[in-house]
Amino acid sequence: MTLALRGTAHYTQQVSHITEDELGEETNLEGWTRAHIISHVSYNAAALCNLVEWATTGVETPMYSSPTARNEEIEYGTTLPPAALFNLHDHTVARLTAAWNSMDDAAWGHQVRTAQGRTVPAEEMLWMRSREVWIHAFDLNKGATFEQIPTIILQTLIPEILAKWGDQADFTLIDTDSGERYGTGSTEIRGSLAGLARWASGRGSAGVDTDLEPPRWL
């Protein structure tokens, strides 16, 4: 749980730097304002609370009722008054942390289903949330960088993205600091670990030696 909580604190720090007037400004995630990101990450925490309920009670409780409902919820969040949106962030972060703290060992091992339809043990939530908050802290465009993301997260993220691409891409990503190679494709992309993760997740080519666009990830 440590990396998820560290990531949440890091993300929350970025949110705290945003003024009400800056909520509508562009971010590092094309098409989304800061209000979109705060809304999305907040409702993601609430959705993970649904999985805690599922794991704890055994009653199927999906993260979202449908992809459409998820998107509508995010858009709704952007219409909230600034104070209400910031409060939504605070409330959902506290709610998720309390929900996790209430779980016993058996609940963490129970099977739940992600929004992408994967059936996983409930402990997978910790990775899902870690990925969410560390990356979206960068997306807020208030100074957070991929270089601040813990190495273990970056090393886990890159293979996950490559697996998601499947046959869409023929790449090998090479960490020029460690020599670690990710993938077995014929097109080699070289860069720092943070640069490779940033590029693969669709957030620009800084730190890598290519201008190619990666396939879509999520």
Side-chain angles (χ1 to χ4, degrees), residues 121-195:
E123 64 184 359
E124 181 80 4
M125 286 188 289
L126 298 177
W127 164 246
M128 293 162 60
R129 186 62 176 176
S130 295
R131 180 186 63 196
E132 191 86 9
V133 290
W134 283 105
I135 293 177
H136 285 315
F138 167 80
D139 288 336
L140 285 171
N141 195 24
K142 286 297 288 185
T145 68
F146 263 71
E147 285 73 17
Q148 293 170 318
I149 300 177
T151 298
I152 186 60
I153 298 240
L154 299 174
Q155 291 173 331
T156 304
L157 178 64
I158 292 173
E160 180 179 88
I161 293 174
L162 288 172
K164 185 72 173 180
W165 287 348
D167 296 333
Q168 296 180 69
D170 185 28
F171 294 111
T172 296
L173 277 56
I174 303 171
D175 178 356
T176 51
D177 294 324
S178 69
E180 184 76 20
R181 300 170 69 91
Y182 300 90
T184 57
S186 61
T187 301
E188 295 185 345
I189 309 294
R190 291 176 171 81
S192 66
L193 183 64

XYZ file of all heavy atoms in Angstrom, residues 121-195:
592
model
N -7.265 -10.397 -8.267
C -7.424 -10.303 -6.815
C -7.548 -8.841 -6.400
O -6.988 -7.951 -7.049
C -6.147 -10.941 -6.263
C -5.173 -10.877 -7.380
C -5.963 -10.951 -8.646
N -8.265 -8.594 -5.330
C -8.515 -7.218 -4.902
C -7.234 -6.449 -4.643
O -7.208 -5.222 -4.783
C -9.393 -7.209 -3.655
N -6.145 -7.136 -4.309
C -4.888 -6.433 -4.055
C -4.367 -5.706 -5.296
O -3.529 -4.808 -5.192
C -3.836 -7.404 -3.533
C -3.440 -8.482 -4.516
C -2.463 -9.475 -3.916
O -2.074 -9.302 -2.736
O -2.089 -10.435 -4.623
N -4.878 -6.083 -6.475
C -4.493 -5.392 -7.709
C -4.886 -3.921 -7.659
O -4.314 -3.088 -8.374
C -5.160 -6.070 -8.899
C -4.834 -5.489 -10.266
C -3.496 -5.948 -10.817
O -2.855 -6.791 -10.167
O -3.127 -5.488 -11.904
N -5.861 -3.590 -6.800
C -6.267 -2.190 -6.653
C -5.088 -1.285 -6.303
O -5.055 -0.114 -6.705
C -7.332 -2.047 -5.555
C -8.704 -2.527 -5.911
S -9.873 -2.075 -4.599
C -9.368 -3.189 -3.288
N -4.155 -1.811 -5.541
C -3.023 -0.992 -5.095
C -2.173 -0.561 -6.282
O -1.734 0.591 -6.347
C -2.182 -1.768 -4.084
C -2.910 -2.165 -2.794
C -1.998 -2.996 -1.910
C -3.400 -0.929 -2.046
N -1.955 -1.481 -7.221
C -1.225 -1.118 -8.430
C -2.049 -0.168 -9.292
O -1.540 0.836 -9.797
C -0.854 -2.349 -9.239
C -0.460 -2.015 -10.645
C -1.131 -2.353 -11.792
C 0.668 -1.234 -11.074
N -0.496 -1.844 -12.893
C 0.618 -1.154 -12.482
C 1.697 -0.594 -10.406
C 1.568 -0.455 -13.234
C 2.652 0.099 -11.146
C 2.588 0.164 -12.538
N -3.327 -0.453 -9.443
C -4.185 0.385 -10.275
C -4.178 1.830 -9.781
O -4.087 2.771 -10.569
C -5.609 -0.178 -10.276
C -5.744 -1.523 -10.972
S -7.279 -2.401 -10.529
C -8.531 -1.234 -11.063
N -4.278 1.998 -8.477
C -4.318 3.356 -7.925
C -2.944 4.010 -7.977
O -2.840 5.217 -8.246
C -4.829 3.315 -6.481
C -5.053 4.691 -5.865
C -6.101 5.502 -6.597
N -6.355 6.768 -5.911
C -7.170 7.710 -6.364
N -7.811 7.539 -7.510
N -7.366 8.819 -5.679
N -1.895 3.232 -7.738
C -0.538 3.784 -7.828
C -0.286 4.351 -9.217
O 0.190 5.487 -9.370
C 0.497 2.698 -7.516
O 0.391 2.250 -6.193
N -0.586 3.559 -10.222
C -0.413 3.998 -11.611
C -1.216 5.262 -11.871
O -0.726 6.215 -12.489
C -0.873 2.863 -12.527
C -0.763 3.130 -14.016
C -1.384 1.974 -14.773
N -2.812 1.841 -14.496
C -3.524 0.752 -14.771
N -2.951 -0.318 -15.290
N -4.815 0.720 -14.500
N -2.422 5.284 -11.384
C -3.336 6.407 -11.612
C -2.784 7.719 -11.059
O -2.706 8.731 -11.762
C -4.681 6.093 -10.944
C -5.801 7.020 -11.300
C -6.512 6.587 -12.577
O -6.246 5.483 -13.077
O -7.323 7.380 -13.064
N -2.394 7.702 -9.786
C -2.023 8.965 -9.146
C -0.638 9.450 -9.564
O -0.424 10.663 -9.725
C -2.132 8.876 -7.611
C -3.598 8.802 -7.189
C -1.360 7.685 -7.050
N 0.314 8.533 -9.741
C 1.648 8.982 -10.150
C 1.624 9.598 -11.543
O 2.239 10.643 -11.794
C 2.639 7.825 -10.100
C 3.099 7.455 -8.726
C 2.701 6.357 -7.987
C 4.030 8.155 -7.891
N 3.326 6.350 -6.764
C 4.154 7.440 -6.682
C 4.781 9.318 -8.067
C 4.990 7.853 -5.641
C 5.622 9.734 -7.028
C 5.724 9.010 -5.843
N 0.909 8.968 -12.481
C 0.874 9.492 -13.849
C 0.056 10.770 -13.926
O 0.467 11.754 -14.561
C 0.326 8.436 -14.816
C 1.314 7.267 -14.929
C 0.075 9.040 -16.204
C 0.835 6.138 -15.812
N -1.086 10.795 -13.274
C -1.932 11.984 -13.378
C -1.355 13.178 -12.618
O -1.719 14.321 -12.912
C -3.354 11.668 -12.931
C -4.129 10.884 -13.940
N -4.127 11.198 -15.280
C -4.933 9.790 -13.811
C -4.887 10.334 -15.943
N -5.386 9.481 -15.061
N -0.460 12.933 -11.666
C 0.254 14.058 -11.052
C 1.048 14.795 -12.119
O 1.076 16.033 -12.156
C 1.182 13.559 -9.949
N 1.675 14.056 -13.021
C 2.375 14.670 -14.153
C 1.390 15.364 -15.079
O 1.632 16.495 -15.539
C 3.148 13.592 -14.921
C 3.652 14.041 -16.268
C 4.809 14.798 -16.372
C 2.962 13.727 -17.440
C 5.280 15.222 -17.622
C 3.418 14.144 -18.680
C 4.575 14.892 -18.772
N 0.272 14.726 -15.334
C -0.701 15.278 -16.280
C -1.234 16.636 -15.847
O -1.603 17.457 -16.698
C -1.879 14.309 -16.452
C -1.503 13.067 -17.236
O -0.532 13.126 -18.017
O -2.171 12.030 -17.065
N -1.281 16.901 -14.555
C -1.813 18.182 -14.068
C -0.995 19.381 -14.529
O -1.450 20.512 -14.466
C -1.895 18.172 -12.542
C -3.031 17.340 -11.942
C -2.859 17.228 -10.433
C -4.390 17.940 -12.281
N 0.229 19.135 -14.977
C 1.070 20.192 -15.549
C 1.347 21.315 -14.540
O 1.295 22.496 -14.868
C 0.415 20.767 -16.808
C 1.374 21.592 -17.655
O 2.585 21.402 -17.587
N 0.830 22.503 -18.442
N 1.669 20.886 -13.326
C 2.047 21.853 -12.294
C 3.461 21.615 -11.779
O 3.837 22.106 -10.714
C 1.049 21.804 -11.127
C -0.295 22.432 -11.436
C -0.194 23.921 -11.748
C 0.100 24.742 -10.521
N 0.084 26.212 -10.815
N 4.249 20.864 -12.538
C 5.644 20.698 -12.171
C 6.087 19.281 -11.881
O 7.285 19.003 -11.820
N 5.150 18.343 -11.685
C 5.531 16.953 -11.439
C 6.139 16.357 -12.708
O 5.758 16.724 -13.826
C 4.323 16.134 -11.001
N 7.079 15.444 -12.541
C 7.766 14.826 -13.677
C 7.710 13.305 -13.571
O 7.467 12.742 -12.497
C 9.240 15.247 -13.720
O 9.927 14.679 -12.594
C 9.374 16.766 -13.691
N 7.977 12.641 -14.692
C 8.065 11.188 -14.675
C 9.301 10.743 -13.901
O 9.333 9.631 -13.354
C 8.091 10.632 -16.101
C 6.746 10.174 -16.589
C 5.749 11.091 -16.889
C 6.468 8.830 -16.751
C 4.509 10.688 -17.336
C 5.228 8.399 -17.188
C 4.242 9.328 -17.485
N 10.322 11.597 -13.845
C 11.518 11.259 -13.094
C 11.244 11.117 -11.598
O 12.020 10.473 -10.876
C 12.600 12.322 -13.328
C 13.282 12.237 -14.685
C 12.402 12.710 -15.838
O 11.390 13.402 -15.589
O 12.734 12.393 -16.991
N 10.143 11.691 -11.119
C 9.787 11.574 -9.708
C 9.053 10.271 -9.399
O 8.880 9.929 -8.230
C 8.906 12.765 -9.297
C 9.634 14.098 -9.322
C 8.688 15.278 -9.145
O 7.597 15.313 -9.709
N 9.109 16.253 -8.344
N 8.640 9.563 -10.421
C 7.909 8.308 -10.216
C 8.899 7.223 -9.788
O 9.960 7.071 -10.400
C 7.171 7.894 -11.500
C 6.170 8.978 -11.908
C 6.466 6.557 -11.306
C 5.447 8.691 -13.221
N 8.589 6.453 -8.742
C 9.518 5.414 -8.283
C 9.888 4.432 -9.389
O 9.058 4.083 -10.241
C 8.727 4.717 -7.165
C 7.801 5.777 -6.651
C 7.410 6.570 -7.867
N 11.126 3.977 -9.355
C 11.633 3.070 -10.386
C 10.766 1.828 -10.536
O 10.475 1.392 -11.659
C 13.085 2.665 -10.046
O 13.914 3.821 -10.048
C 13.621 1.659 -11.055
N 10.329 1.251 -9.431
C 9.546 0.017 -9.504
C 8.234 0.233 -10.262
O 7.751 -0.646 -10.966
C 9.275 -0.553 -8.086
C 8.596 -1.909 -8.172
C 8.465 0.420 -7.259
C 9.392 -2.977 -8.900
N 7.665 1.429 -10.137
C 6.424 1.724 -10.869
C 6.719 1.800 -12.361
O 5.995 1.241 -13.179
C 5.823 3.046 -10.373
C 5.467 2.899 -8.906
C 4.654 3.495 -11.236
C 4.077 3.078 -8.498
N 7.788 2.497 -12.730
C 8.148 2.620 -14.137
C 8.478 1.254 -14.731
O 8.075 0.943 -15.865
C 9.342 3.565 -14.291
C 9.138 5.007 -13.810
C 10.457 5.767 -13.882
C 8.073 5.721 -14.641
N 9.191 0.432 -13.978
C 9.576 -0.887 -14.471
C 8.381 -1.819 -14.602
O 8.426 -2.776 -15.386
C 10.617 -1.505 -13.529
C 11.967 -0.811 -13.575
C 12.924 -1.339 -12.524
O 12.511 -1.803 -11.453
N 14.210 -1.272 -12.821
N 7.341 -1.572 -13.860
C 6.114 -2.366 -13.972
C 5.215 -1.821 -15.075
O 4.563 -2.575 -15.796
C 5.355 -2.355 -12.633
O 6.229 -2.819 -11.594
C 4.120 -3.240 -12.689
N 5.206 -0.503 -15.203
C 4.331 0.157 -16.161
C 4.692 -0.176 -17.607
O 3.807 -0.464 -18.429
C 4.388 1.669 -15.945
C 3.564 2.546 -16.885
C 2.080 2.264 -16.701
C 3.871 4.024 -16.637
N 5.978 -0.140 -17.943
C 6.390 -0.324 -19.342
C 5.974 -1.693 -19.878
O 5.353 -1.779 -20.955
C 7.894 -0.070 -19.505
C 8.198 1.422 -19.278
C 8.366 -0.488 -20.896
C 9.680 1.755 -19.250
N 6.259 -2.813 -19.182
C 5.786 -4.104 -19.696
C 4.266 -4.189 -19.795
O 3.736 -4.830 -20.711
C 6.332 -5.108 -18.676
C 7.488 -4.434 -18.040
C 7.120 -2.979 -17.999
N 3.561 -3.545 -18.871
C 2.099 -3.552 -18.926
C 1.607 -2.854 -20.197
O 0.682 -3.338 -20.865
C 1.516 -2.860 -17.697
C -0.004 -2.821 -17.678
C -0.553 -2.151 -16.440
O -0.721 -0.914 -16.455
O -0.800 -2.863 -15.462
N 2.229 -1.740 -20.525
C 1.839 -1.019 -21.737
C 2.147 -1.850 -22.973
O 1.315 -1.960 -23.894
C 2.552 0.347 -21.812
C 2.056 1.269 -20.690
C 2.320 1.003 -23.169
C 2.806 2.576 -20.586
N 3.330 -2.467 -23.013
C 3.696 -3.298 -24.163
C 2.714 -4.450 -24.329
O 2.324 -4.796 -25.452
C 5.116 -3.836 -23.985
C 6.248 -2.816 -24.133
C 7.578 -3.444 -23.741
C 6.323 -2.282 -25.550
N 2.297 -5.050 -23.221
C 1.330 -6.146 -23.294
C -0.007 -5.646 -23.821
O -0.686 -6.344 -24.589
C 1.161 -6.776 -21.906
N -0.383 -4.451 -23.419
C -1.646 -3.865 -23.883
C -1.592 -3.587 -25.385
O -2.583 -3.780 -26.100
C -1.918 -2.567 -23.113
C -3.258 -1.924 -23.425
C -4.409 -2.724 -22.840
C -5.731 -1.981 -23.008
N -6.852 -2.736 -22.437
N -0.431 -3.139 -25.877
C -0.287 -2.895 -27.310
C -0.465 -4.175 -28.114
O -1.032 -4.166 -29.193
C 1.098 -2.328 -27.608
C 1.319 -0.921 -27.196
C 0.384 -0.013 -26.786
C 2.587 -0.250 -27.131
N 0.986 1.179 -26.475
C 2.328 1.066 -26.683
C 3.894 -0.627 -27.407
C 3.346 2.003 -26.511
C 4.912 0.296 -27.233
C 4.640 1.598 -26.790
N 0.045 -5.274 -27.601
C -0.052 -6.543 -28.316
C 0.603 -6.473 -29.679
O 1.752 -6.041 -29.813
N -0.144 -6.845 -30.681
C 0.385 -6.878 -32.050
C 0.335 -5.524 -32.747
O 0.704 -5.414 -33.914
C -0.395 -7.892 -32.894
C -0.220 -9.310 -32.391
O 0.826 -9.583 -31.779
O -1.134 -10.138 -32.590
N -0.115 -4.488 -32.035
C -0.218 -3.165 -32.662
C 1.144 -2.536 -32.932
O 1.260 -1.626 -33.745
C -0.992 -2.206 -31.757
C -2.434 -2.569 -31.496
C -3.079 -1.536 -30.600
O -3.301 -0.394 -30.999
N -3.351 -1.917 -29.372
N 2.176 -3.011 -32.223
C 3.476 -2.335 -32.310
C 4.607 -3.346 -32.346
O 4.502 -4.443 -31.804
C 3.649 -1.394 -31.126
N 5.692 -2.946 -32.985
C 6.868 -3.801 -33.146
C 8.071 -3.076 -32.561
O 9.006 -2.717 -33.273
C 7.057 -4.106 -34.640
C 8.179 -5.095 -34.891
O 8.442 -5.917 -33.989
O 8.791 -5.034 -35.965
N 8.008 -2.836 -31.233
C 9.027 -2.031 -30.576
C 9.821 -2.824 -29.542
O 9.295 -3.747 -28.908
C 8.387 -0.845 -29.839
C 7.740 0.166 -30.733
C 6.359 0.315 -30.752
C 8.503 0.978 -31.562
C 5.753 1.261 -31.566
C 7.910 1.926 -32.381
C 6.534 2.066 -32.386
N 11.069 -2.429 -29.385
C 11.871 -2.796 -28.220
C 12.302 -1.502 -27.551
O 12.897 -0.636 -28.194
C 13.122 -3.603 -28.606
O 12.721 -4.848 -29.182
C 13.980 -3.883 -27.377
N 11.970 -1.349 -26.277
C 12.326 -0.153 -25.521
C 13.578 -0.456 -24.708
O 13.610 -1.455 -23.967
C 11.184 0.273 -24.605
C 10.069 1.126 -25.239
C 9.443 0.442 -26.449
C 8.992 1.452 -24.208
N 14.602 0.381 -24.844
C 15.895 0.127 -24.216
C 16.221 1.250 -23.243
O 16.330 2.424 -23.636
C 17.001 0.010 -25.269
C 16.663 -1.099 -26.275
C 18.352 -0.256 -24.606
C 17.595 -1.146 -27.467
N 16.382 0.888 -21.978
C 16.766 1.843 -20.932
C 18.265 2.089 -21.059
O 19.078 1.201 -20.799
C 16.415 1.247 -19.564
C 16.812 2.144 -18.406
O 17.425 3.205 -18.635
O 16.518 1.769 -17.252
N 18.645 3.282 -21.466
C 20.054 3.581 -21.717
C 20.869 3.702 -20.433
O 22.098 3.701 -20.480
C 20.193 4.882 -22.525
O 19.433 5.925 -21.887
C 19.670 4.696 -23.943
N 20.207 3.797 -19.279
C 20.935 3.853 -18.010
C 21.310 2.456 -17.518
O 22.434 2.226 -17.082
C 20.104 4.573 -16.947
C 19.894 6.036 -17.278
O 20.825 6.656 -17.829
O 18.798 6.556 -17.006
N 20.363 1.527 -17.601
C 20.599 0.181 -17.064
C 20.874 -0.865 -18.136
O 21.384 -1.944 -17.836
C 19.378 -0.263 -16.254
O 18.262 -0.497 -17.117
N 20.501 -0.559 -19.389
C 20.621 -1.545 -20.450
C 19.444 -2.487 -20.536
O 19.393 -3.355 -21.423
N 18.481 -2.352 -19.633
C 17.294 -3.212 -19.635
C 16.522 -3.031 -20.933
O 16.321 -1.921 -21.420
C 16.404 -2.869 -18.446
C 15.190 -3.749 -18.277
C 15.521 -5.114 -17.712
O 16.605 -5.263 -17.108
O 14.692 -6.026 -17.863
N 16.064 -4.160 -21.489
C 15.306 -4.153 -22.737
C 13.877 -4.621 -22.456
O 13.666 -5.612 -21.756
C 15.963 -5.060 -23.777
C 17.384 -4.649 -24.129
C 18.072 -5.700 -24.968
N 17.499 -5.799 -26.301
C 17.928 -5.114 -27.359
N 18.951 -4.258 -27.228
N 17.366 -5.263 -28.543
N 12.929 -3.904 -23.018
C 11.512 -4.243 -22.858
C 10.933 -4.510 -24.241
O 10.984 -3.637 -25.112
C 10.755 -3.099 -22.190
C 11.262 -2.733 -20.810
C 12.255 -1.765 -20.658
C 10.755 -3.347 -19.679
C 12.725 -1.418 -19.390
C 11.218 -3.004 -18.407
C 12.198 -2.045 -18.276
O 12.665 -1.711 -17.036
N 10.392 -5.693 -24.447
C 9.836 -6.044 -25.734
C 10.864 -6.710 -26.626
O 12.060 -6.758 -26.319
N 10.379 -7.204 -27.772
C 11.251 -7.919 -28.711
C 11.029 -7.447 -30.147
O 11.303 -8.185 -31.090
C 10.999 -9.432 -28.628
O 9.609 -9.708 -28.898
C 11.355 -9.980 -27.248
N 10.553 -6.229 -30.297
C 10.244 -5.724 -31.636
C 11.483 -5.308 -32.405
O 12.583 -5.173 -31.852
N 11.303 -5.067 -33.692
C 12.430 -4.716 -34.563
C 12.781 -3.229 -34.508
O 13.888 -2.839 -34.883
C 12.108 -5.111 -36.005
O 10.961 -4.428 -36.477
N 11.845 -2.387 -34.051
C 12.120 -0.955 -33.932
C 12.558 -0.646 -32.518
O 11.795 -0.834 -31.562
C 10.862 -0.122 -34.272
O 10.445 -0.410 -35.603
C 11.160 1.362 -34.137
N 13.797 -0.187 -32.375
C 14.340 0.083 -31.049
C 14.162 1.554 -30.675
O 14.477 2.448 -31.462
C 15.823 -0.291 -31.000
C 16.063 -1.794 -31.188
C 17.518 -2.174 -31.013
O 18.387 -1.258 -31.038
O 17.805 -3.374 -30.855
N 13.644 1.764 -29.469
C 13.482 3.104 -28.904
C 14.371 3.177 -27.674
O 14.241 2.365 -26.752
C 12.018 3.384 -28.506
C 11.055 3.080 -29.649
C 11.874 4.818 -28.003
C 11.202 3.963 -30.840
N 15.288 4.136 -27.652
C 16.227 4.272 -26.543
C 15.932 5.535 -25.735
O 15.547 6.554 -26.296
C 17.661 4.317 -27.066
C 18.155 3.011 -27.644
C 19.550 3.150 -28.225
N 20.111 1.858 -28.601
C 19.829 1.214 -29.728
N 18.989 1.767 -30.593
N 20.364 0.028 -29.987
N 16.159 5.420 -24.443
C 15.984 6.586 -23.591
C 16.100 6.221 -22.136
O 16.344 5.057 -21.775
N 15.935 7.207 -21.274
C 15.924 6.947 -19.837
C 14.675 6.151 -19.485
O 13.700 6.106 -20.250
C 15.923 8.268 -19.067
O 14.708 8.973 -19.309
N 14.687 5.521 -18.329
C 13.519 4.750 -17.903
C 12.288 5.647 -17.834
O 11.208 5.282 -18.319
C 13.795 4.114 -16.542
C 12.691 3.214 -15.985
C 12.475 1.997 -16.875
C 13.037 2.775 -14.557
N 12.449 6.830 -17.245
C 11.319 7.765 -17.151
C 10.875 8.215 -18.532
O 9.671 8.315 -18.807
C 11.704 8.972 -16.300
N 11.832 8.480 -19.425
C 11.490 8.904 -20.778
C 10.739 7.832 -21.535
O 9.769 8.110 -22.258
